[in-house]
Amino acid sequence: MSLQLPLIDLLLRWQIKRRFRKNPDVNLLRPLMLQMEPRASKLPVGIACEALDLGGVPAEKLSAPDSRSDAAFLYIHGGGFVAGSPRTHRPLTWRLAKDIGVPVYALDYRLAPEHHFPAGLDDCVTAYRALLERGLPAKSIIAGGDSAGGNLTLALALRLKAEGLPMPAALVCLSPATDMTGSGTSMQSNAEADAIFVPEIMASLMPAYCPGADAKNPYLSPLFGDLSGFPPALFQVGDREILRDDAVRIAAAMKAAGAEATLEVWPKVWHVWQLNADMLPEGREAIAHIVRFARQHLA
C-alpha cells in the first residue's frame, strides 16, 4: 500500500462521503464532478484533443503522436448516469491513449434526469456504429467505462448482440454498476468501508435515470442479461466498494455463460481509483493492467 492511499481515502471521506451521509441523492454527483473538472481536464504536452461527433453524439478524441489509426478505445465515463463528461475522466483517458497507442474516443452521452433511459445507451450504440462506419473493424475496437459507464459498456454489448452487430474485441469495466436492484451483499457489508458512497444512494438512482422501469431489465442491470457470446472482459473493482459484488457476480456470470472474464479485486482502494493516477501509484498500476489487456486483445 502506498503512502498516498490512506491520505486520499481520508480526503474522499471528508469531501464526498460525509455529504452523501447527509443527503444520499445521486444527483449530488453533478456539482461534485463539476468542481473537479478544471483540475481533471488538464492534458500533458503531446496529447492531442479533438472535439468531434460520432453519428451525432458529441465526443473527444485523445491521441498521442504515435497512435495507430486502425484501432480505437471507445470510453464511456461514469457519474451515476447524471454527471461526468470526457473532461472529468481525462486523468484516465489520456493515459490509455498514450500507453495503449490508440486513439481514445470519450463519449459525451446524454445524461439523466434531463434524458432518461435509454437515451444514454442509445448514444453509445450510435457512437459504436459510427466507428464501424469510419472503417474501423470491430476486432480493432475496445469498449470500456467506469461505474455507470461500465454498466453502459455491458448494456452496449447486449444491444449489439440483439441488433446483430459485431462485438468489439474486448470490454473493460472499472467498478461497474451491474445490478440496479442493489442485491449484492457488499452493498451492505461495505457500507462503512466504502470511502465515497452509501447504500442509500441507490434509492435515488432509479427515479433519476429510469423512472418506472423494471430494475431487472438487462439493459439496466446487465447481470440479468444473456452474456453468452460476449467478448473477453476485464473487471477491476476495490474490495471495499459497495459495488464490489456487482463486478464479482457479473464476472462469474460471464464465465458461466462461456465467455472469458478476468476479475481483479484490489485491496483498500475506492470506487474508480484509476482516476487518481496523477497522485496514486495503485491507480497507475491498475491502468498498466488495462493497457496490457487491451494490447493483448486488439487486432
Side-chain angles (χ1 to χ4, degrees), residues 228-242:
S228 61
F230 264 38
L234 170 65
F235 297 93
Q236 291 183 342
V237 70
D239 68 344
R240 296 183 175 184
E241 294 191 53
I242 60 174

Side-chain angles (χ1 to χ4, degrees), residues 163-266:
E163 296 179 19
L165 290 169
M167 289 283 192
L171 308 175
V172 174
C173 298
L174 314 179
S175 302
T178 68
D179 176 13
M180 296 288 273
T181 72
S183 64
T185 58
S186 61
M187 187 63 62
Q188 298 302 324
S189 63
N190 278 347
E192 292 301 321
D194 193 303
I196 298 177
F197 294 121
V198 296
E200 293 78 12
I201 199 172
M202 293 296 295
S204 66
L205 186 55
M206 290 282 291
Y209 179 49
C210 48
D214 179 0
K216 288 191 173 182
N217 179 336
Y219 296 131
L220 291 170
S221 297
L223 179 65
F224 303 110
D226 177 6
L227 307 177
S228 61
F230 264 38
L234 170 65
F235 297 93
Q236 291 183 342
V237 70
D239 68 344
R240 296 183 175 184
E241 294 191 53
I242 60 174
L243 290 180
R244 181 198 65 204
D245 288 350
D246 281 42
V248 170
R249 289 185 297 157
I250 199 158
M254 277 190 63
K255 291 179 181 178
E260 178 186 335
T262 301
L263 173 67
E264 297 181 358
V265 181
W266 288 64

